[in-house]
Every structure is written in structure tokens, then in C-alpha cells.
Amino acid sequence: MKFTLDETQNNRLLAAIFQELAVIVFDPQKEVVFANANMTDILGYSQEEIIGLPHRTFCFDHYAASTDYQAFWNQLLYSKQRFQDKIIRKNKQGEKLILEGIYFPVLDEQQEVVNVVKIAFDITQREQALAVTIKKVQESAASLTRLSANGHQQVDHLSENLAQVKRLSDQNQATTHALEMDSQQVTAVLHDIDRIAQQTKLLSFNASIETARIGEQAAGFRVVADEMQKLAEQTKQLTQTIAATMQAINQQALIVLDSTESTTMKISDSQKSLAAVLHSYDTLRTTASLLNDEAEYLSETNDAELETT
């Protein structure tokens, strides 16, 4: 269906635009000649108050006095180029407004500027929400950074303690190995003592036989043989007692050794887990840093856009 922009359609389009958008019109002297209801509501003026007000009324003093402000109007009035950007203005109460606006010159038949029209959206709440979001992101990033730093410190401390335990475990393991070797040596000595005791007992038995054969002349020899036999019996009993004790010690040493080796393995596994946790904390810190950088970039970009207007 072909669309024809006749006077009726034109009026309908203008009515629709005025209903949805904020519109204000300036003359070449930069004074207001028209503003629709949406614009007056945004700026806080009545229809009667706003007519004739200079454009700088809606600007903060530092911008109205700047070279950027002059360049802005030169672009519209002399270069006859439109201007579109995010802009900062103020309402009647002096409160800050953030608008998404487009200015464009209206030309007559001689291509001279007769009016400048501004169409705008009020994005103040959106920008404030964005600022709040950026602040929350930065606070979250800071919290993540602190969490990462504290966690990293605690894990470092735990890792150091585990390293000390591992060193002690290694020392205990070495000591237990040495104890096992010493136990084996003592066992070997006890075997030698037992063998000597058996030989002593045999000599004593032989001596007893000789004493019985010789008779009364060998009475002193019999006493020595009896003492040798008693000593051999005592030595054998002591050897058996010591051997049993050393066997028990050796069994305990083996248990300690197995436990130490198991502890060492568990400590090693814990250290690997801690290394993984540390890596996670490093990743967390990096993520927080990137998040904070992104928030700062958004904030700086948003501020830069507003500073230019």
C-alpha cells in the first residue's frame, strides 16, 4: 500500500511524535520558541515560562561558558550539521538531567537556519541505574579481590604448615628406617649371644661330666661348671626376653613406617589440592581485576560522553 504524506498524515505523524518524544524548538538567537508537554515536564517549566528562555538556561554554568558550548552552536547554526549525543542539562530546580538528544537545523529556501529542533529522551534514571550497577560491580570486584587475598594468605599458611609436617614426617620416616636397621643389628647380636650361651651351656655340661669322672679332686671345677651353666641359662632367658622386645619394637616400627608413608602420601595429595585451590584463588583475583577494569572502563566512557556535552 502506497503511503502519501498529505497534510492530514503530516499532522498525525507530528501528533504521534509529540506524544512520544520530548521536542523543543529554538530560534537562531538560541531562545525557545516552542516546547511540547513532554519537554516542559522534563525541564520542570510550564508552557508559558519556557517560551523565550535562552538555551543556556538549561545548561550548567561551566558548560555554558566553555568553548565546547560555542562549538556546539557553531555546528548547528553555521556548519548546519546535526548534533546527536548523550547530554547533561538541568531542570528548573537545578537538578541534573541526562538526555539522549538529537539537534538538527531547519533551513529555509535560501538554506539559512531559521530554527533548531531538539528531540530528546530522558535517560536520567537509566544512567543513574547504570552508575549504581557500576558501583556495585566495583564493590563486588573489591570484595572478590579481598576474598581472594585472604584465602590465598590462609592457604599459603596452611601450605607452609603442611610442608613442615611433611619435613617432620620425612624425618620420622628416616628415623624409623634407621630404627629398623638398628633393630635388625641388635637381633643379629642377640643371635650371636644365644649361640654363645648354647656353647657355654655345652661346655658346662662337658665340664660336669669331667668333674664326675675325676671325682673329689675336681670339686672347684664343678663349682665353676655349675656357675657357667647358670650363667648360660640366664643369658638365654635374657636373650629371649630382649629378642621378644625387639620383635615387638620392630613390628611397631613397621606400623609407624607404614603410617608415616601413608601420611606422607596424604600430605603430598593435600599439597596438590592446595596448589589447585591457590590456582582457583589466582583465577578469582584475575576475574575480579578484569571485572573492576570493565566497570571502570564503563564508568570512564560514560563520564567522557557526558563531559563533552
Side-chain angles (χ1 to χ4, degrees):
M1 180 178 178
K2 186 176 181 180
F3 178 80
T4 303
L5 188 62
D6 56 20
E7 183 177 355
T8 301
Q9 291 288 357
N10 186 62
N11 291 335
R12 289 174 179 172
L13 286 175
L14 287 176
I17 291 173
F18 282 10
Q19 183 177 355
E20 297 298 329
L21 304 177
V23 181
I24 190 168
V25 181
F26 300 91
D27 62 17
Q29 287 71 45
K30 309 170 189 175
E31 294 181 353
V32 179
V33 294
F34 171 81
N36 70 351
N38 289 339
M39 182 61 75
T40 56
D41 288 343
I42 290 173
L43 296 175
Y45 293 89
S46 66
Q47 290 282 347
E48 294 76 15
E49 289 176 323
I50 202 168
I51 301 300
L53 292 178
H55 179 268
R56 66 174 50 244
T57 305
F58 315 113
C59 302
F60 288 97
D61 292 341
H62 70 278
Y63 176 60
S66 68
T67 56
D68 289 338
Y69 183 72
Q70 187 62 43
F72 161 73
W73 276 106
N74 287 342
Q75 178 178 332
L76 293 168
L77 295 176
Y78 303 111
S79 299
K80 303 173 184 176
Q81 296 178 350
R82 71 176 186 174
F83 177 91
Q84 181 177 358
D85 209 338
K86 191 184 297 183
I87 56 178
I88 293 179
R89 295 293 183 261
K90 66 178 180 179
N91 60 17
K92 183 179 179 180
Q93 291 72 35
E95 297 169 337
K96 179 180 176 181
L97 298 172
I98 304 175
L99 307 176
E100 186 72 44
I102 177 171
Y103 290 79
F104 54 88
V106 178
L107 308 180
D108 61 11
E109 292 78 4
Q110 287 75 37
Q111 297 300 302
E112 295 297 329
V113 177
V114 292
N115 290 114
V116 172
V117 178
K118 171 186 175 182
I119 299 175
F121 299 92
D122 185 2
I123 59 172
T124 304
Q125 292 184 350
R126 188 187 76 184
E127 291 299 308
Q128 289 173 345
L130 175 61
V132 171
T133 299
I134 290 174
K135 184 178 180 181
K136 288 182 178 179
V137 169
Q138 289 174 328
E139 290 175 350
S140 297
S143 297
L144 290 176
T145 300
R146 288 193 298 270
L147 175 63
S148 175
N150 292 337
H152 206 292
Q153 184 178 4
Q154 292 173 3
V155 172
D156 282 341
H157 181 67
L158 181 58
S159 180
E160 182 179 350
N161 289 341
L162 279 177
Q164 292 178 354
V165 172
K166 187 175 186 303
R167 285 194 295 270
L168 292 175
S169 177
D170 291 340
Q171 291 176 0
N172 291 338
Q173 189 173 359
T175 302
T176 304
H177 276 297
L179 179 62
E180 183 182 9
M181 295 300 295
D182 292 342
S183 176
Q184 292 175 356
Q185 291 178 359
V186 170
T187 300
V189 172
L190 288 176
H191 283 307
D192 291 339
I193 293 175
D194 185 63
R195 188 180 69 255
I196 292 172
Q198 292 292 338
Q199 291 176 352
T200 302
K201 186 175 182 180
L202 180 62
L203 289 173
S204 175
F205 180 74
N206 290 334
S208 297
I209 294 175
E210 289 295 324
T211 300
R213 188 176 62 83
I214 295 174
E216 293 296 331
Q217 295 179 357
F221 190 67
R222 177 185 293 277
V223 173
V224 173
D226 289 342
E227 291 299 324
M228 287 179 61
Q229 188 171 3
K230 292 177 182 179
L231 180 60
E233 287 292 338
Q234 292 175 356
T235 302
K236 183 177 181 180
Q237 291 177 359
L238 288 173
T239 301
Q240 291 174 346
T241 301
I242 295 174
T245 302
M246 289 307 301
Q247 184 178 4
I249 292 174
N250 194 42
Q251 290 176 348
Q252 292 298 320
L254 290 176
I255 293 173
V256 172
L257 182 60
D258 290 340
S259 176
T260 302
E261 290 176 348
S262 176
T263 301
T264 302
M265 291 178 62
K266 290 181 179 178
I267 291 173
S268 179
D269 291 339
S270 298
Q271 287 177 324
K272 292 178 181 178
S273 298
L274 284 175
V277 173
L278 284 175
H279 178 70
S280 297
Y281 275 121
D282 289 337
T283 303
L284 182 64
R285 183 183 299 175
T286 301
T287 302
S289 179
L290 292 174
L291 190 63
N292 187 59
D293 290 344
E294 184 66 21
E296 288 182 354
Y297 172 76
L298 289 174
S299 180
E300 291 172 358
T301 303
N302 191 55
D303 291 342
E305 288 178 353
L306 295 177
E307 286 173 0
T308 60
T309 56

